[in-house]
Amino acid sequence: MPLPSSPLHANKNEPTTAQSPETSTLEDSPSLSKRRKDLFGDCALVEIIHLHDCLRGALRALERDVEALKQTLLRQDQSAVNELECRVNGRFKVIWSVFRAHSSAEDEFIWPALQLKTQG
């Protein structure tokens, strides 16, 4: 599943790493990202790591939207409140459904496979 086109990304310009551009470190550099992909590209767990990064990005976007909604409520701008409420609600529903499906898949497939590997 190609994650950049995931519905978790409402804005394709948002970072997909665990850190925002303002706090980016050398670890988030494109060259390091390419090296990781070259080293671990055939590992099935890489997609899970990418999905976790996407979830973090989606949660940051939700946090920004909730903060904007709070500020808009303080300004009592009802038209903007309605738009932001819809955006927050929609974003939360997508995040929650992806989280539930992902957690179920981890519980059903990933953790048992990891337990077998570490026991043997």
Side-chain angles (χ1 to χ4, degrees), residues 40-87:
F40 304 110
D42 60 344
C43 178
L45 293 176
V46 169
E47 282 204 31
I48 292 171
I49 292 166
H50 288 304
L51 181 59
H52 287 181
D53 287 345
C54 289
L55 282 168
R56 284 184 200 98
L59 288 169
R60 280 193 306 275
L62 177 63
E63 181 180 30
R64 286 190 302 270
D65 286 349
V66 168
E67 182 61 32
L69 178 59
K70 182 179 100 176
Q71 296 303 319
T72 304
L73 283 167
L74 293 173
R75 289 192 316 268
Q76 298 179 350
D77 180 356
Q78 193 57 43
S79 63
V81 166
N82 292 339
E83 179 186 331
L84 284 166
E85 281 178 339
C86 288
R87 188 182 330 164

Side-chain angles (χ1 to χ4, degrees), residues 23-34:
T23 60
S24 181
T25 64
L26 179 60
E27 290 183 24
D28 296 321
S29 71
S31 63
L32 185 55
S33 179
K34 183 184 177 339

